Amino acid sequence: MREPIIKGEPGVDPGEPRGRQEGRKIDPVDEKLRPQSLAEVIGQRSVAERLEIALSASRKRGEPLPHILFDGPPGLGKTTFATVLHNELGVELNMTSGPALSKNADVMPYLTNAVEGSILFIDEIHRLPATVEEFIYPVMEDFRVDIVLGEGMNARTINLPLKRFTIIGATTRSGMLSGPLRDRFHMHEHLEFYDVEDLSRIITINSVKLRTTITEDAAWELARRSRGTPRLANARLRWVRDFATARSDGQITLPVARDALAMQEVDEEGMDKQDRRYLETLIKVFRGGPTGAEALSATMNVAVDTLTDEVEPYLLRRHFIVRTPRGRRATVEAYRHLGMPEPMPEINLLDPQRRLFE
Ligand code: ADP
């Protein structure tokens, strides 16, 4: 396994948006659990198959991989796929993130130092400022940067040729990416939430890596309550493993897994306190909505990005909320899940046959 070369502050995870980046160290256990080859990647089969084709073509032609954009909620494998591609090709990997590249001078060293065929991974690429984005267009198209020297009448542009390399972008918000930037990626891969079976396999494999034993039904229970997200499945597994060591003989059985999750206040659906607080705020304060993410964020005192990137995608997928042109709205399932009385359907006076509330 090759170590990725991570530029920027050593030991700081470049995958975190600025603000959450400071002080957050790369966790060696997380790195140990990360698949290193395509064969080790679980699920996302169609994505993996298309990457296999790209890898094979790149090997046969002796050319760099095409530029690839991964999008999807956090923790679904965007960084993992970039790491796997670098291992499969045996090329250098440099990692940075949109918020770390605030001006052209920040991105320049990554471009000029890139060796033939290497990979530059830019996490949270939707946060690149427009000027930096435009600066990398010619890089992505023709492997050159255009540097403007002087000002006004005396200004002239110098074209600096670069080595041919690959940019892999990752984003939790593909909608925020500008059209021209999106178009410069040759492959767009959307990562979906994982099903329980795949998460259960990930948990079982990782329990071996963590030298712990887990029964089949306990692995299934953890998988079922990990909101379709491998990163969360790993975090739950690590907590349950600590709990099993502290409270019993270290074996993760179904009762141990259930007790450990109850202690973490993870409910039957895998929702944690923050997910439930979101639904409670939407229902109790905003009478079920519709309301905007900013209003929820201000009321909950939680960053709007945290709500839109980390909390809402799974609530949407579980149909606990819906998005309408006027904002988020709680569904009947959300009321049921929280054990709250369902609202009376409002009657549309113009058309009494139609209920306004779904
Ligand atoms: P993202 O970059 O999308 O936020 P990561 O790639 O960092 O997510 O994934 C988080 C963790 O989840 C990884 O460290 C890895 O252990 C696990 N993981 C992600 N995708 C897979 C997968 N397809 N198979 C097995 N484990 C995975």
Side-chain angles (χ1 to χ4, degrees):
M1 159 189 147
R2 277 158 194 270
E3 286 296 312
I5 297 170
I6 301 173
K7 296 273 171 68
E9 200 186 323
V12 171
D13 185 346
E16 286 293 308
R18 183 172 278 172
R20 272 176 287 155
Q21 186 167 318
E22 282 102 45
R24 187 182 181 276
K25 303 291 176 201
I26 288 177
D27 185 330
V29 180
D30 275 351
E31 290 311 305
K32 188 163 119 184
L33 301 183
R34 203 189 283 288
Q36 297 300 323
S37 65
L38 263 188
E40 283 178 51
V41 166
I42 311 286
Q44 309 286 356
R45 274 342 295 167
S46 49
V47 176
E49 274 170 29
R50 284 190 291 270
L51 293 176
E52 192 96 59
I53 300 281
L55 273 173
S56 160
S58 154
R59 281 195 197 106
K60 283 189 182 158
R61 285 202 219 105
E63 284 179 5
L65 280 175
H67 302 306
I68 307 171
L69 179 68
F70 289 109
D71 87 84
L76 296 194
K78 299 181 289 297
T79 314
T80 300
F81 273 117
T83 312
V84 159
L85 292 171
H86 123 91
N87 280 330
E88 292 279 351
L89 282 178
V91 294
E92 195 174 282
L93 169 67
N94 290 296
M95 299 178 112
T96 183
S97 68
L101 306 174
S102 57
K103 49 190 187 307
N104 294 350
D106 295 330
V107 73
M108 200 59 183
Y110 290 102
L111 308 179
T112 51
N113 293 337
V115 297
E116 187 78 19
S118 62
I119 296 174
L120 173 61
F121 177 72
I122 308 180
D123 203 1
E124 298 294 319
I125 196 163
H126 59 272
R127 289 167 186 256
L128 275 185
T131 47
V132 177
E133 203 182 278
E134 280 163 26
F135 186 64
I136 65 169
Y137 291 162
V139 177
M140 297 180 78
E141 278 167 2
D142 302 322
F143 301 105
R144 58 157 230 273
V145 274
D146 299 332
I147 303 168
V148 182
L149 295 177
E151 279 177 16
M153 293 280 285
N154 298 323
R156 61 200 170 94
T157 307
I158 293 186
N159 304 138
L160 185 69
L162 302 168
K163 296 280 180 338
R164 293 179 313 158
F165 68 101
T166 301
I167 293 188
I168 298 186
T171 179
T172 46
R173 308 261 191 100
S174 64
M176 269 175 72
L177 224 63
S178 75
L181 180 58
R182 196 172 319 130
D183 292 346
R184 282 167 173 84
F185 285 98
H186 307 122
M187 291 180 75
H188 296 186
E189 295 298 346
H190 174 69
L191 301 188
E192 287 289 345
F193 285 108
Y194 292 62
D195 60 29
V196 178
E197 205 168 333
D198 286 338
L199 282 186
S200 172
R201 278 174 66 203
I202 292 175
I203 288 168
T204 308
I205 290 168
N206 288 348
S207 63
V208 176
K209 289 189 189 170
L210 292 173
R211 299 215 189 90
T212 187
T213 47
I214 185 164
T215 59
E216 213 173 293
D217 51 2
W220 188 266
E221 184 72 1
L222 284 190
R224 206 177 58 71
R225 290 160 76 175
S226 293
R227 293 198 330 223
T229 308
R231 180 179 293 149
L232 207 54
N234 287 344
R236 302 252 198 269
L237 172 64
R238 288 173 68 182
W239 161 251
V240 175
R241 170 181 172 248
D242 286 350
F243 186 94
T245 308
R247 288 280 174 93
S248 68
D249 61 358
Q251 253 247 47
I252 305 173
T253 57
L254 185 58
V256 168
R258 284 194 174 138
D259 288 349
L261 292 179
M263 196 171 191
Q264 253 192 346
E265 299 180 49
V266 173
D267 68 25
E268 272 301 304
E269 292 286 343
M271 304 287 154
D272 59 24
K273 266 197 294 192
Q274 178 148 278
D275 302 315
R276 286 192 299 274
R277 221 183 123 223
Y278 177 101
L279 292 178
E280 278 162 11
T281 309
L282 182 57
I283 290 173
K284 287 187 187 158
V285 181
F286 296 99
R287 297 167 58 196
T291 191
E294 285 77 15
L296 280 161
S297 145
T299 311
M300 290 174 68
N301 200 17
V302 174
V304 70
D305 283 359
T306 307
L307 296 186
T308 50
D309 288 2
E310 293 171 24
V311 178
E312 289 183 340
Y314 192 71
L315 295 178
L316 282 161
R317 142 96 190 240
R318 266 302 274 106
H319 302 301
F320 281 149
I321 58 170
V322 286
R323 267 201 197 132
T324 73
R326 291 192 296 139
R328 284 79 173 139
R329 199 158 68 179
T331 63
V332 170
E333 278 93 88
Y335 285 82
R336 284 186 194 145
H337 180 68
L338 294 180
M340 289 180 173
E342 291 163 32
M344 293 293 288
E346 288 176 36
I347 303 299
N348 184 344
L349 294 175
L350 297 176
D351 179 2
Q353 299 302 313
R354 276 189 64 200
R355 291 168 56 166
L356 286 180
F357 189 88
E358 294 133 8

